[in-house]
Amino acid sequence: MESRETLFTVGPGPHWRSKTSVTQMNYAFILALLPAAAIGVIAHGFMTDEMHVLGRATGLEWLLGSIVREFGISPGLLASIGAGGVLAMGMGVGVAAEYLIQVLFRQPYHAMNGHGALMGLLVAMFMPVSVPWWTLVIGVFLAILIGKQLYGGIGSYPFHPAMVGWLILLLSWPHHIYPVGMKSIASAHFAVILTTAAGGIALCALGHIRWQIPAAVIGGVILGSLIFGSVAPEKLGGGSLAEIMAAQFISGHVIIAAFFLATDSTSSPTNNLPAWLFGICMGLLIMLIRTYGQWPDAIPFAVLLSNVLNPLLDRIRPKVTEVVIQNG
Amino acid sequence: MFDEITDRLFGFRRPKFPLKSQHLAIKDAAASSSLVFPLFSGTGVPYEALVKEGDQVKPGQFLGSDGVKKAVVCPVKGKVVGVISGPDARNHYVGHSVAVDPDPDSSPVAWKPMDPETASARELWARVAEAGILTESYTPRPLGEIIGPEADVEVETLVVLASDREPEVFSTSEVFRWRSEDVFIAAKVLGKMAGAKDVYVAAHDKSAGQTGKSAGGTGVKVLSVPPEYPMTLKPMVALRAGGGKGVRVITAGTALAALDAIRDGKVQDKKVVTFIGPKGEAKANLRAPIGAKLKDLFAFMGLKPRDGDKVLAGGPLRGIAQYSLEAPVDAGLDAVMLIPRENILPWSDEPCVSCGACVSVCPVNLQPSLLGRYSEFSIFEPADDLGVMNCVECGLCAMVCTARRPLVQMIRLAKREVTRIRNEAEQKAKDKKAREEAEEACKEQNEPAVSEASAG
């Protein structure tokens, strides 16, 4: 006896679909960045001479000093713990800020889709280990609030949120973000930069980012170092052109910017020729600002200025193939 | 080589969607209950029933009419058991179906055989119209309206597509393997009927040996299509054959049905459909009676869909999800597919993240991400400017979408609205012109009166 008809699922095609999702994309970014973060944390263990800066910046020199003395913790271990703490705090604050804003704005909850955590991690990667905790909290929170949610969230923001957060901190408390003699976690050691590049290449291979954009950024930096290295070599530290070029990559944030900032899906172009132009433009801007700018790092300015160009560049579209659709 | 290099440089994440060629024997499937013939046109216009319960029907008899033209050919001899309300395989639901109990001795021969060599184009066309041959498509239309002396456009190039249009569908290629010589004869005959200058049979490179052997003496050329998914859809094949309004593409199944009607006087009573099983692979090619319900095919395959499963009339990318297994097999159908509920991914209304995956896969270089957004917010003019009417609805954009947006549905909405807006604008221009002409005429009539009045 048939009690009732079977109820089928209906919906529009296509019915075969790829299983990617926004969540998967964000977690892929985080996973690709985590090895670099881990190397950064380990690298801090070998930089004990920065301990005094760490203490001075946080205002807890005496406390840290006494912890090191009383408990026999090596200063290197303490610095490593500090770096890990900064990264964990960035990610945690990112998720918390997303959740809080979504509650306040009465939005559906997407806090666990990994985007907040990714933005928090990216802001934290650009911080030195000595950054005061409240600076980091303000930076990540404003990155999520001003950089992302006020524009309408993922898919709508014109600027990279992490860069917005970083820039606010850089302009407000430059002495905390660039304390004398300290580097950020992302540029702490050459090994970190190498691991970042490996993670980025893995992302390209998995198809989560377009390899064209990092290639174009790196190409733009090479082009820029050739141009500005010939025009004003003394402002880039001097040396031969090859030395100047190499110096751009083995220190600073060019690699992480090329693979993890420029390739952000929302604030980068969708078409391929614009993607090349966008990357080259970003690379040239990095070199221009590094040569003539007054700030210690050019990355946030270059990324945000290229993001401004993105909607304009994306008007370059391939020609649509004219097709006659036969009826029947 | 150059194309390969530019593609590598400027294309990203372009999924290769190869069409396998697979030999899948054709099995005869029988209907267990009465046959059902929905009274709908391919676009969903309902017809009036010309028969009533208890009537005897014979092959070649029309069952419905839209008031002007008769439609829906009955392929069997039998008795009408009812004019019922029932679905068709395209989810049109306002209308009726004719249920016919076929006689066991029913034969598909309905007319006198013709010699296609000596018959004139108009005679051939009259037979095709009489036989009510429908095109194999998601919106089937009578073949006589597409090609022939009374077609809506003058056909310059006729392409008979002998390759399957979607992955895991093997019905057309199997029919071509089975009757490849007939396909070339049919192409020649229909080319004559259409008055086409160029007649092609479009097939994959791999079946070139087969085509070369069969083409001999017919004067039909072979058009090679790459065995990749969107390249075998009708608009893309038309593009390969030169493009433009004068190119018509019909499938080998349609061409063979027309040839059978002309040469043997047979009405089309069977359709080969590929049955795609729950694992997403073709299980069998079924030669099913037209009018057999989908539940008969499932019973034949020994499968019972559960609650929440998806049943498609059509292939995995463009198939139409069914709400009932009562829908019958018709001439437009090329596959039936079952997707288990575990494998169904829900669509999402999350915003586009501009990752660009859809842009990279579009076969006609559209911007599906932008079109989806425009459609979502009912802004249709810019969508028209971006060329939304060129969309071939292959579904690759929605397939790769990171945010899982139903892009094809959105683009279909935009296409429909753009058509409506264009028609309205055309109508407005026509009205305006008519009004101006009327005013002009009015003025001419009134002028003498005015001059008289002023004179007076």
Side-chain angles (χ1 to χ4, degrees), chain A:
Chain A
M1 196 187 95
E2 242 176 60
S3 53
R4 62 167 175 80
E5 275 195 79
T6 321
L7 293 175
F8 297 126
T9 308
V10 291
H15 307 282
W16 271 359
R17 304 238 308 280
S18 90
K19 290 195 171 64
T20 60
S21 66
V22 177
T23 310
Q24 198 194 29
M25 183 178 78
N26 289 331
Y27 281 113
F29 265 82
I30 293 175
L31 280 179
L33 205 48
L34 277 183
I39 299 286
V41 168
I42 295 167
H44 273 81
F46 301 99
M47 293 188 240
T48 47
D49 57 318
E50 287 164 4
M51 267 307 291
H52 69 285
V53 188
L54 181 69
R56 198 176 57 203
T58 46
L60 297 172
E61 198 175 8
W62 61 272
L63 181 62
L64 291 174
S66 54
I67 288 174
V68 170
R69 269 194 309 277
E70 294 298 320
F71 295 95
I73 299 173
S74 76
L77 184 60
L78 200 65
S80 273
I81 294 170
V86 166
L87 295 175
M89 191 168 173
M91 287 174 80
V93 173
V95 177
E98 282 261 280
Y99 185 74
L100 186 68
I101 290 167
Q102 281 162 2
V103 169
L104 288 179
F105 288 9
R106 313 234 166 119
Q107 284 178 350
Y109 302 136
H110 289 308
M112 289 318 288
N113 74 358
H115 197 257
L118 174 63
M119 292 304 140
L121 178 61
L122 277 173
V123 174
M125 285 292 279
F126 291 105
M127 297 294 128
V129 64
S130 67
V131 66
W133 65 270
W134 51 268
T135 315
L136 183 62
V137 170
I138 290 175
V140 176
F141 186 78
L142 291 183
I144 301 289
L145 179 71
I146 297 179
K148 181 181 167 191
Q149 292 292 359
L150 285 188
Y151 289 109
I154 188 167
S156 309
Y157 53 80
F159 305 111
H160 197 296
M163 286 303 98
V164 174
W166 187 21
L167 197 63
I168 289 171
L169 296 186
L170 183 60
L171 298 181
S172 309
W173 299 283
H175 54 287
H176 287 327
I177 309 305
Y178 277 100
V180 180
M182 279 202 75
K183 287 174 173 174
S184 70
I185 298 171
S187 62
H189 195 268
F190 183 54
V192 186
I193 294 170
L194 268 185
T195 326
T196 312
I201 290 166
L203 272 186
C204 291
L206 290 173
H208 282 290
I209 60 178
R210 275 167 286 182
W211 63 267
Q212 284 93 343
I213 295 180
V217 174
I218 291 167
V221 169
I222 290 173
L223 189 66
S225 52
L226 287 179
I227 296 170
F228 297 112
S230 335
V231 178
E234 72 286 350
K235 293 200 172 180
L236 286 166
S240 70
L241 273 183
E243 279 168 4
I244 289 175
M245 205 187 291
Q248 304 311 319
F249 293 104
I250 58 172
S251 67
H253 299 132
V254 168
I255 294 294
I256 190 170
F259 284 104
F260 290 90
L261 298 179
T263 54
D264 175 67
S265 68
T266 303
S267 55
S268 70
T270 49
N271 289 295
N272 285 308
L273 183 61
W276 280 101
L277 295 175
F278 174 82
I280 288 170
C281 175
M282 186 183 288
L284 286 175
L285 275 171
I286 290 172
M287 289 316 296
L288 179 72
I289 298 169
R290 274 193 174 173
T291 314
Y292 297 109
Q294 54 161 325
W295 293 94
D297 204 339
I299 300 294
F301 302 99
V303 171
L304 293 175
L305 284 173
S306 323
N307 286 346
V308 176
L309 285 178
N310 166 28
L312 270 180
L313 287 175
D314 234 355
R315 295 186 75 92
I316 308 172
R317 302 185 186 110
K319 192 173 174 296
V320 176
T321 314
E322 296 284 330
V323 179
V324 179
I325 310 286
Q326 173 183 327
N327 182 11

Side-chain angles (χ1 to χ4, degrees), chain A residues 4 7 9 14-21 155 207 210-212 265 271-272 319 321 323 326-328, chain B residues 8-10 12-13 141 248-249 307-310 316 319 345 352-354 359 364 367 390 395 399 402 404:
Chain A
R4 62 167 175 80
L7 293 175
T9 308
H15 307 282
W16 271 359
R17 304 238 308 280
S18 90
K19 290 195 171 64
T20 60
S21 66
R210 275 167 286 182
W211 63 267
Q212 284 93 343
S265 68
N271 289 295
N272 285 308
K319 192 173 174 296
T321 314
V323 179
Q326 173 183 327
N327 182 11
Chain B
R8 286 277 165 91
L9 276 175
F10 298 108
F12 92 108
R13 205 160 69 164
R141 276 175 82 199
R248 284 297 194 199
V249 184
D307 273 337
D309 287 356
K310 219 182 217 180
L345 284 181
C352 168
V353 296
S354 303
V359 173
V364 291
Q367 308 279 315
N390 291 303
M399 180 177 168
T402 309
R404 301 187 177 179

Side-chain angles (χ1 to χ4, degrees), chain B residues 363-406:
Chain B
V364 291
N365 292 338
L366 290 172
Q367 308 279 315
S369 54
L370 285 180
L371 296 175
R373 284 186 224 200
Y374 282 137
S375 178
E376 193 176 8
F377 297 107
S378 305
I379 312 170
F380 297 111
E381 279 89 357
D384 194 8
D385 295 340
L386 285 174
V388 69
M389 296 309 282
N390 291 303
C391 172
V392 298
E393 296 180 18
C394 65
L396 283 181
C397 52
M399 180 177 168
V400 299
C401 183
T402 309
R404 301 187 177 179
R405 287 159 67 80

Side-chain angles (χ1 to χ4, degrees), chain B residues 137-357:
Chain B
S137 150
Y138 285 109
T139 52
R141 276 175 82 199
L143 185 61
E145 290 180 16
I146 300 236
I147 57 171
E150 295 196 11
D152 43 10
V153 291
E154 200 173 316
V155 181
E156 287 160 13
T157 309
L158 180 70
V159 184
V160 175
L161 179 58
S163 85
D164 283 297
R165 285 160 294 166
E166 287 185 51
E168 289 301 327
V169 180
F170 301 107
S171 51
T172 309
S173 53
E174 195 58 40
V175 165
F176 182 55
R177 193 190 300 266
W178 173 34
R179 297 178 65 183
S180 49
E181 284 175 23
D182 277 357
V183 170
F184 279 90
I185 297 168
K188 188 187 169 195
V189 171
L190 291 178
K192 180 180 165 190
M193 173 182 134
K197 285 190 215 97
D198 294 309
V199 184
Y200 294 102
V201 167
H204 296 331
D205 302 336
K206 279 179 192 163
S207 48
Q210 203 177 349
T211 52
K213 221 168 38 204
S214 320
T218 53
V220 174
K221 285 171 274 186
V222 175
L223 182 72
S224 151
V225 286
E228 251 177 61
Y229 165 56
M231 292 303 148
T232 50
L233 295 181
K234 282 179 182 175
M236 303 310 286
V237 174
L239 211 60
R240 274 186 105 75
K245 272 203 172 346
V247 185
R248 284 297 194 199
V249 184
I250 59 172
T251 65
T254 314
L256 286 174
L259 181 71
D260 286 347
I262 292 165
R263 199 177 57 182
D264 308 328
K266 273 189 196 163
V267 61
Q268 186 185 10
D269 63 338
K270 296 273 169 71
K271 178 77 190 75
V272 178
V273 293
T274 304
F275 193 96
I276 305 171
K279 284 186 186 142
E281 58 188 21
K283 291 187 78 129
N285 271 322
L286 302 178
R287 193 154 162 265
I290 285 183
K293 291 170 188 162
L294 294 186
K295 71 178 179 192
D296 294 341
L297 300 191
F298 277 91
F300 183 84
M301 295 304 298
L303 281 169
K304 194 162 166 46
R306 303 159 299 162
D307 273 337
D309 287 356
K310 219 182 217 180
V311 174
L312 305 179
L317 287 156
R318 292 163 19 108
I320 299 165
Q322 300 296 307
Y323 60 88
S324 161
L325 289 183
E326 297 292 314
V329 173
D330 61 25
L333 200 66
D334 59 353
V336 174
M337 184 167 182
L338 174 68
I339 300 180
R341 58 190 173 212
E342 297 82 24
N343 295 357
I344 297 173
L345 284 181
W347 295 104
S348 146
D349 58 355
E350 277 181 41
C352 168
V353 296
S354 303
C355 67

